[in-house]
Each structure stands twice: as C-alpha cells, then as structure tokens.
Amino acid sequence: MHGGHKLSGTVNISGSKNSALPILAATLLTKDECVIHHVPDLSDVHFMLQILDHLGAQVERASGTVTVKAEKVTTEAPYDVVRKMRASVCVLGPLLGREREATVSLPGGCVIGDRPIDLHLKGFEALGAAIRVVGGDVKVLAPQLRGAVIPMTGKFGSTVLGTDNVMMAAVLADGTTVIDGAAEEPEVVDLANFLNKMGAKVEGAGSRRIIIEGVKELHGAEHEVIPDRIEAGTFMVAAAISGAEVKLRRANPAHLATVSQALERAGYRIQVTVNSLTVLGNGEPHSIELTTETYPGFPTDMQAQMCALLSRGQGISTVTENIFPQRFMHVSELKRMGANISLENNTAIINGVTALSGAPVMASDLRASAALVLAGLQADGVTEVNRVYHIDRGYEMIDEKLNALGAQIERVKVKG
Ligand code: UD1
C-alpha cells in the first residue's frame, strides 16, 4: 500500500458476514428450498457453504444469491472443515432442532483470546439436551427438546452466536422458550426475521428477552441479509483517516449510531439518509475515550480500526476492550509503524503522533488486519500487510473497493 492518498467517492456496502453465517446455518432447519440474497463473497461464507454441503444440503451460488435445499441432513460436521472458522459452531442449534442430535468439533484456540461456548451448551442443556465432549468433538443429543427459561448472560455479557444457536434449536422444541439476557445485535434480529419467514414464532429479538413458541416444522423462505455494519464502520474510519468525503451506499445508519458518535466526538462530520452515510474527513482526530460494549454500545469489531485512527493526532486517547479483553494484537504492529500505544490490562493508551511510517506488518485476525490497512492508508511510504487471508474472511474485495475511492493498494502473491 502506498499511503497518503485522499479517498473520495461512493462505496457499496456488502451483506453482513455475521448475519449471513447463522442464516445459512438456519437453512438446515427445513427440507424445503431457501433463497438468501445479498450474501457477501467471503472465505468465511465459503467455509459455511462447504459445511452445509458436507452435511448433505444442495447448495448453489449465483453472484450474491445462495440457494440451499437440505432435504436430508447428516449430523456430523468434521474437524477439517469446522476448524477453519469458529462460527461453524452455529450449525449445532439447527441440527439439534431438526434431528435432535449434532456433533461438531469444538472450536480450537482463537487468536482473540479464549472463546468458550459454555453458554451455548448450557442453553441446549436447559432445552433437555445431553452434552458430551469426545475426541475434540462436542456431541449434543436430545431425544426430546422442551421449551425452558434460559439465562444466557456470562462474564462478558450476552453472547451473539450463543443466542442464535439456542434460538435455532428452540424454534422446533415443544412449548415456549424464553432467552433472558439475549444478545441485542442487529444480526440476531436478522436471523429471527428469517426464522419467522420460515414459520417460526420468535418475538422480542433485538431486546434482552426473546420468546420462542416452538412449532412442529419450518418451511422454505426467501430473505435478504442486512448490510454489514462493521464493513461500513471500517470504511467510515477510512474516510476519516484520508481526510476527504466518502459516501457509503446500502448501509444502515441506525446500526452505526455509536460508531458515528465516536467519529463525531473525534471531530468528523457525518451526514445520514435512510440507507447511506457520508463521512467528511477534516484532518487529524481529536483524542477521545472509547469503551467497547455489547450492542447498542460501541462494537468490539470496530475497536482495532479506531486504534488505527486515533494513533495519529494530538492528545491521549484511551480504548477499553470489554468484550474480548485480550483483543489487542494490532497494537504491536501499529507500534512498528510508529504509533505510540501502551497497554494497561484491557485498555490501550494511545498518544497521538504526527505521522505513521510504512512498514512490513503481519495481520493476525480479521479486524486487526483491517486496522493495519487503515494505518497503511495514512502512513508515509509503503506498507506491506502480510497474511491478508485474514482480511478476506470478512471483507469483500477491500483492496478493490478502497482503490476505487483513490487508494493505491496492490495484492501480491508471495512465494514460499
Ligand atoms: C460474534 C461475532 C464477532 C463479534 C462478537 C462480539 C459472529 C460470527 N461473530 O462472535 O464478530 O466480535 O460476536 O460482538 O457473529 N462467551 C462466553 N461463553 C460463551 C460464549 C461467549 O463466555 O458460551 C464470551 C466470549 O468469550 C466473549 C463474550 O462472551 O468474551 C462475547 O462473545 P460472543 O458474543 O459469543 O461472540 P461470538 O458470538 O462468538
């Protein structure tokens, strides 16, 4: 990447990765065909389609539309497919709901810290499932699934995929399930809307209490995935960083309220319509204090990108990570580019510098790699971001989209 180019123009926001993955998993709940639109072309989505295929579903993809027909399903998702993506764990709920059993490899060590699935499993147990861990697999078995009241909050608050998983099992349970302390993220609402189109009876998604009336079976449905608020937020930061005017089309400003507020506090102006946002970059950020929280708070998935923005400028910013306290892999790489950041427990203390300098850096996870690209946009000279496969997991053609706005990024295959 050659830094220092102003970005301007319009960028189209893709469908949400974190909505598409559980919605694709939910297609396993019916024998009928489901048609999902606005599915982003990402490696995580390809992994999910591979898992569906392995489980016996017929999967077709034509540009942004995926058609899934899971007439018959097997109930075992193997390690070699599952290990590539932690979100594969969200096939547990639909398989349990439909077949009353499921075996999925336990997600392995994760680079953003210890990421247990204890709350998912507690939820399944409350519905009547027996859980066993054998040879690295988690086996969930419930000859009968019965609705229950399930408290789903853990040490770090609510769980997004845990809420999704339990909701997907409970839609086909006998009786009523109440998820207390449910995640309120827009992606949970999107999944609930899809489930309701399939004939489920889910109420309260988007609030802390979700009530699910079990039904006997679900049918096929057609659905369009919501826009990706994290991709949108990343482009908002790119616009702020580059100091020009960028319009995001097909975005949902309501889902980005806290990101907009954080950027406004840092001194940027944002114009909003029903489905677009325009960010007016005007120089260096003011220092701010930022804390990640569950939705509607500031998203952890935007924390690394904000660290990249706040690295430049005057004053001291603090960024506290409350969801994944160890999620700071980007900090050491940003420091290699000249950032002045120190870590105190789960808080990054960022002393703004006048300039960042290009350097070879290593991507470690999805959002950390986005932060490095954002740092490269503003750095003097050339930045080389290695292991960009991390970024392809969650950003559709980020290099092409940024280049269309005026960035200078080249994708190079490294030998060996
Ligand atoms: C989802 C998102 C991810 C985002 C995260 C938090 C997808 C595919 N991924 O991940 O991009 O960063 O939400 O917004 O949607 N926890 C437990 N026990 C559990 C489950 C979670 O203690 O059983 C903890 C986690 O370690 C973490 C916190 O709860 O500290 C929130 O995690 P969770 O909401 O479950 O994240 P994911 O759903 O995996």
Side-chain angles (χ1 to χ4, degrees):
M1 302 181 56
H2 293 262
H5 294 273
K6 273 199 186 302
L7 304 189
S8 66
T10 302
V11 59
N12 285 329
I13 298 307
S14 300
S16 160
K17 168 179 89 73
N18 288 354
S19 257
L21 296 175
I23 285 173
L24 288 169
T27 63
L28 293 170
L29 281 161
T30 176
K31 295 181 163 72
D32 297 345
E33 184 175 278
C34 294
V35 182
I36 317 296
H37 303 290
H38 210 206
V39 177
D41 190 8
L42 305 170
S43 51
D44 270 11
V45 167
H46 299 163
F47 295 144
M48 181 54 80
L49 298 183
Q50 270 178 31
I51 293 170
L52 297 183
D53 176 70
H54 177 92
L55 291 169
Q58 275 176 287
V59 181
E60 275 170 39
R61 183 177 184 124
S63 64
T65 296
V66 173
T67 307
V68 184
K69 189 167 194 309
E71 210 157 357
K72 287 201 180 113
V73 289
T74 57
T75 57
E76 272 188 46
Y79 179 64
D80 62 328
V81 192
V82 168
R83 73 181 165 83
K84 296 180 185 150
M85 181 181 65
R86 201 184 159 279
S88 354
V89 76
C90 68
V91 299
L92 269 174
L95 289 176
L96 181 64
R98 173 164 166 181
E99 298 294 321
R100 301 301 195 235
E101 64 173 278
T103 304
V104 175
S105 288
L106 271 176
C110 171
V111 75
I112 69 173
D114 184 26
R115 293 181 75 174
I117 58 162
D118 56 314
L119 296 168
H120 306 224
L121 300 181
K122 264 193 211 153
F124 295 145
E125 267 180 336
L127 294 173
I131 317 277
R132 279 194 307 144
V133 176
V134 187
D137 293 337
V138 56
K139 289 179 183 286
V140 187
L141 185 70
Q144 269 200 313
L145 277 182
R146 287 207 193 89
V149 177
I150 309 176
M152 286 285 299
T153 313
K155 198 163 83 176
F156 299 103
S158 54
T159 160
V160 177
L161 288 178
T163 303
D164 289 346
N165 243 338
V166 171
M167 193 158 70
M168 289 190 278
V171 287
L172 290 178
D174 297 330
T176 308
T177 297
V178 177
I179 305 178
D180 263 327
E184 298 169 281
E185 270 67 2
E187 295 77 16
V188 174
V189 179
D190 204 23
L191 173 63
N193 287 341
F194 176 57
L195 292 171
N196 285 341
K197 285 183 187 169
M198 297 173 84
K201 292 187 176 159
V202 181
E203 273 180 25
S207 77
R208 301 284 284 159
R209 170 173 285 200
I210 299 180
I211 301 168
I212 303 148
E213 206 67 60
V215 296
K216 285 277 170 275
E217 62 177 4
L218 298 182
H219 51 74
E222 191 165 348
H223 187 75
E224 179 169 314
V225 171
I226 58 169
D228 196 309
R229 65 191 165 103
I230 306 301
E231 187 202 22
T234 304
F235 276 95
M236 289 170 77
V237 174
I241 273 176
S242 83
E245 187 176 320
V246 175
K247 180 173 181 179
L248 283 64
R249 220 167 20 201
R250 290 192 83 171
N252 185 336
H255 295 165
L256 286 152
T258 47
V259 175
S260 296
Q261 281 156 19
L263 288 174
E264 280 167 351
R265 280 196 290 131
Y268 301 101
R269 276 204 304 132
I270 295 161
Q271 291 164 351
V272 166
T273 70
V274 178
N275 58 3
S276 80
L277 292 117
T278 302
V279 180
L280 305 153
N282 56 346
E284 291 176 342
H286 306 156
S287 58
I288 57 168
E289 284 176 17
L290 196 62
T291 301
T292 65
E293 285 159 16
T294 53
Y295 192 84
F298 188 87
T300 171
D301 284 350
M302 282 300 302
Q303 181 259 106
Q305 298 89 316
M306 287 302 287
C307 287
L309 172 71
L310 298 170
S311 289
R312 241 164 31 100
Q314 286 184 358
I316 297 177
S317 296
T318 59
V319 177
T320 300
E321 173 56 65
N322 277 334
I323 310 296
F324 297 109
Q326 299 164 41
R327 188 177 206 177
F328 283 114
M329 289 76 56
H330 44 286
V331 166
S332 50
E333 299 300 297
L334 290 174
K335 281 164 87 169
R336 298 190 60 250
M337 297 175 71
N340 180 351
I341 308 178
S342 57
L343 283 177
E344 261 180 38
N345 302 318
N346 59 333
T347 298
I349 299 155
I350 307 172
N351 209 329
V353 295
T354 47
L356 295 178
S357 57
V361 286
M362 200 64 88
S364 54
D365 84 356
L366 173 54
R367 306 305 168 186
S369 19
L372 299 180
V373 171
L374 294 174
L377 284 179
Q378 58 189 321
D380 296 334
V382 177
T383 299
E384 193 183 293
V385 183
N386 291 287
R387 296 191 185 159
V388 288
Y389 54 83
H390 284 293
I391 212 163
D392 294 329
R393 283 188 38 221
Y395 290 91
E396 200 173 46
M397 307 178 305
I398 193 170
D399 42 348
E400 288 176 35
K401 286 189 180 185
L402 285 170
N403 282 344
L405 294 173
Q408 249 196 53
I409 306 175
E410 207 185 331
R411 191 181 276 260
V412 192
K413 223 178 172 70
V414 183
K415 290 199 189 93

